[in-house]
Amino acid sequence: MRLALLRPAFASILGALALVACGDDDAADPIDGGAVDARVPLDAYVPPDAHVAPDAYVEPDAHVEPDASVPRSEVLHDADGANARYRGIGRARVPSSCTATLLDVGGDDDAPAYALTAGHCTLWWENDESFEGRVLDEPGEVVFRFFTDTVDAQHAVAVEVAAFSSMRGTDLAVLELDTTVGALRTAGIEGIALATALPATGAAITNVGAPLATGDDPEEHLRLGRCTLGERVSLVEFEWLWPDAVANDCPEIRTGSSGSPLLDASGAIFAVINTTGEERPHAICHLGRPCELEASGPATYDGVSYAIPVAGLSACFVDGAIDLAATGCPLASGAVIDSARETARYQRPSETNTTIRVTLTASEGFTHYRAKAGPAQSTDCRDEAGYGAALAIDAAPTFEAPLPTADGLTVVCVRGGPAADAIQPATHAVAWVTASDSTPPALPLPVRHDPPEADSVRFWVDVENPTYAGYDRKSGPAATTDCDDPEGYQFVNVRFGQFTVTSEGGPTRVCVVASDWADNVSEPMEWVFFE
C-alpha cells in the first residue's frame, strides 16, 4: 500500500535541531568503562499485529519526581575563590547557547584570546565542509566567571569570528575573542590547558558546563559533574559521521552543555561534549539519537553522552596564535571537494531503487576524485585502503554505490584534488551516509484521540522522525469502510498535528496509517465510534 507522505524540508529539520538533548535526563543509564545496557540494533523489528485498536483517551501521567539515586551535577560557587580555576569556562552565545572554554595556548599578554566549543554551536551544520576565519552570522559573546553566586562579577567578551568551525568528521569550533589573554588575566580569568593525550577508558573525569534551565531545574550557571570515561567509538547522528568520539556518563548533559570540556585528573581539556542519547526509540541514528558503529551494526545507548577529543590540539597554535597549517595540527583545514548525495538519506530498497549516488562538481581547482563505499561500521573514510582509482569529474560526475537490501547504514567517501596524482589525503574525505530501511513503522502508532463528542471526535498525531514522519487517514460507515483498502485515504497535515472526524449518521470507522522517511507504510490502526 503506497500513500502520500509529507517529508519535511531539510531546512525545517535543521531549524528544530538540538544536538544535545533538551529536558531531564535523570533516567539516563550510566556507562561503566564503556559497557552500557539497553542496546537497540538498527534492524530490530517486531512484526506488528494488524488493526490494533488502542483504548480511548488516556489522561497523561502526572509529574514524576526525579530519582534521587541518579547521579547529579553540583552547582559551582566562587564567592570565596574556591573555583577560580573554572572562571575561564562560560556561557557562549554564537548564536546557539552553549559552553565555551578559554584556552591556555601560550603567548604573551598581547596574544589573542581563543575559546573552544562545539562546531554545531555556530549553526553551520554542513557535513561536507569546514569554515576558517568566518564571521558569525550575528555578533556573539562568551560570558566568563559564570557562577551562580557572583553574577555581578560576570565578564562578557564579544565574539565576531570563528577561527575554525566544522562538523565534517568532527564537531569543534575555535572562537576568536575580541580581547587579549592579558586583558582576561587582569580580570582574574585564566585559560585552561589542552591535554596531550586521552585518559584511559574507565578513568575518572570531570565535566564543567553551563546547561540551560529546565522546568525541574531553574539553575543555569556553571555546574560540575563527576563521571567516567567510556570507549572511543565511531558515531553517526543524522547527516554527520564522527569517526572518533568518546563515550561518557557525565550527569545532566542537556541543551547548553554542548562544547563543555571534559577534564582529566590534571585539569586539562581532552574532549568537548557534542551530543547525547535521548530515550527516543523510533529515531535510531537520527537527531538526538546517535548510534555507535559496532561490528554487528549500529547500536544506541540511552542516556550516554559523547565528546570530540581535542588532545594534541595545542599543535594548532604557534606563539599563542592559531595556525591551522602548523605541523601536527589535527584539524583538517582547507577546501575539500564539492559533492552532494543525490539520493535520499533514507531509502527503501526495491527493484527500481538499487543505488546510492553522489555527484561531484569541479570547483576551486578540484578536477579529479577518488571514492569508496561500504558498511558504515567497517568503512573508515580516513583509511587510504579501499579507494578506487582517480577519476576526472568531467568524465564521471556521479559516483554510484549499491544500496544494500538489508537494513543498515552505508557510507560513501569522496576526496578530490587538482590532478589524478594529487588527490588530498584521506583526512580530507567527505562522508555521505545512507540508511537502507525496508521496515514499516510499527504499531501502535503515536496517535490518540479526545473523548468523543456527540457527533465528532478529534484525533492527534505525533511526528517522531524518521519513523513516524507522515500520516494518512480515512473514515466512513463502519460496515463498508475497509482500512486495508488504500483507496480513500487523505493526507494529514502534521503541521497542525490533528484532524476531526464527524459521524456518518451511525457507526463510523476511522483508519490511520503512518509513513517513514524511506516511504515505508505501516499497517492501519482503526477505531469505531458512534455505535
Side-chain angles (χ1 to χ4, degrees), residues 125-392:
W125 292 322
E126 288 82 349
N127 69 305
D128 59 341
E129 61 181 313
S130 301
F131 302 96
E132 301 164 29
R134 179 174 173 176
V135 176
L136 298 177
D137 294 337
E138 57 186 70
E141 67 174 3
V142 179
V143 182
F144 296 113
R145 304 188 71 150
F146 199 64
F147 299 97
T148 188
D149 63 336
T150 58
V151 174
D152 291 342
Q154 289 182 2
H155 189 87
V157 177
V159 183
E160 294 185 358
V161 175
F164 177 85
S165 181
S166 180
M167 293 188 70
R168 181 179 61 82
T170 188
D171 186 11
L172 295 174
V174 179
L175 308 173
E176 292 184 13
L177 304 182
D178 190 18
T179 190
T180 63
V181 171
L184 289 173
R185 184 170 291 134
T186 299
I189 303 167
E190 297 283 350
I192 297 179
L194 289 156
T196 57
L198 266 64
T201 299
I205 59 174
T206 301
N207 169 250
V208 178
L212 299 182
T214 69
D216 294 328
D217 185 355
E219 178 57 64
E220 60 173 57
H221 291 89
L222 283 186
R223 54 202 313 154
L224 180 148
R226 294 179 174 83
C227 28
T228 303
L229 182 63
E231 296 178 343
R232 299 182 80 157
V233 299
S234 291
L235 203 64
V236 167
E237 185 171 1
F238 191 45
E239 291 285 0
W240 303 282
L241 190 158
W242 298 302
D244 187 16
V246 288
N248 63 86
D249 65 350
C250 295
E252 298 185 297
I253 299 297
R254 59 181 189 242
T255 299
S257 298
S258 289
S260 60
L262 296 186
L263 307 175
D264 62 18
S266 72
I269 310 171
F270 69 87
V272 297
I273 291 290
N274 83 308
T275 190
T276 193
E278 300 178 48
E279 295 187 43
R280 303 175 62 215
H282 306 301
I284 296 173
C285 302
H286 196 63
L287 303 178
R289 184 75 165 168
C291 57
E292 297 183 19
L293 299 178
E294 300 182 346
S296 58
T300 60
Y301 299 102
D302 292 340
V304 176
S305 296
Y306 300 92
I308 301 298
V310 296
L313 198 66
S314 57
C316 300
F317 297 86
V318 178
D319 296 329
I322 193 166
D323 183 356
L324 297 174
T327 301
C329 177
L331 298 177
S333 58
V336 295
I337 192 167
D338 185 352
S339 62
R341 190 188 52 235
E342 181 181 320
T343 45
R345 166 67 171 81
Y346 296 86
Q347 293 197 63
R348 184 169 64 91
S350 68
E351 292 182 358
T352 58
N353 187 28
T354 61
T355 60
I356 301 167
R357 297 183 298 280
V358 173
T359 57
L360 297 306
T361 301
S363 64
E364 297 193 44
F366 289 88
T367 59
H368 291 72
Y369 71 95
R370 296 179 65 189
K372 67 177 178 179
Q377 66 268 26
S378 58
T379 304
D380 187 350
C381 293
R382 303 168 302 169
D383 187 348
E384 295 282 348
Y387 279 94
L391 301 172

